[in-house]
Amino acid sequence: MSAALGLKAKPIANGITAPDDDSDISALINRLTAEVNQIAVDKTKSIQQITNQMKMLALNALIESSRAGVQGAGFAVVAQEVRGVGQQVETIARELETQLTKRTGDLVASIERMSQRSRGERMVDLSLNAIELIDRNLYERTCDVRWWATDSAVVDCAASPGAPAVSHASERLAVILGAYTVYLDLWLCDLDGNVIANGRADRFRVVGQNVAHTKWFREAKSLRSGDDYVAGDVENQPLLGNAQVATYCASVRAGGQANGAPVGVLAIHFDWEAQARAIVQGVRVGDSDKARVLLVDSNFRVIAASDGQGILSERIALSLNGQRSGFYQDRSGTLVAFHATPGYETYRGLGWYGVIICGA
């Protein structure tokens, strides 16, 4: 079981290795298309100038032929033909310009749609990457709490919380915290919700505090066996200096047996802010994306943000349309990509989402 959160993200899905590759190609195609369009416009204007000169020459020839009378009649026919050819060329040039500009305009619009789709799909992949990283990490937390709830020092203290047992359990919890740096504290509680031992007694004076009112304790107390666990939502914990934590619980059972009688509850407090920040800030978005990377809970409450803003206070108006993943543009043109938690192994997740919001 790993003791710390790895900060390197796994390779992005679909072989994406450089976030700006697609945008660079799209920009190149857009530039070349614009150049072709400009060339077409310039050349048709040149043709129109030449045809205007032809028409002027033809008009002058007609005037001179009329002055010449009968002798200029044949020349007048030629001048009329030249004038007619000039008008035909002008018509063709105008049609060419209209068709070319329409085609290049359609091409630019199509490239823009493809670019937006490619960008959106990449952001969905990155959203999945972020939520998968936290899922895998929190799966380990569920393993930790069930494992440590069977520790003999923890079991003995919960069964008979005398001073020697409490001291030994506290020492044991402190040893665990020394190796597993992703936790703020570990609490052993009796079945009435009283904290009887913790691993950082010198820092957090929580022994004697009652947590029976908390949701995670109530759920942990009703667990059916030692194989089950409680995964709490992210919250500010007043007894830990109001730090942001995700609390995981397992029931402590007699003899450390999964089906033994419950004798207490072990609660482990995952240091959420530091670990989640490392994940959202490590997502490989480009500077040009102007992206804000978020983790949100099942109520769309922000629980982690790459810019550090709105954590546990802001709610995102996420338009899912019945989908677990996807992207869309809101009314302001902002790109929003999301992916629901896929869970990992026996950890099914809590309905959280990875979300990336890109500036227009």
Side-chain angles (χ1 to χ4, degrees), residues 147-160:
W147 172 27
W148 297 335
T150 65
D151 187 281
S152 60
V154 170
V155 174
D156 292 344
C157 182
S160 181

Side-chain angles (χ1 to χ4, degrees), residues 334-345:
T334 298
L335 175 67
V336 180
F338 62 91
H339 204 297
T341 170
Y344 184 73
E345 297 289 346

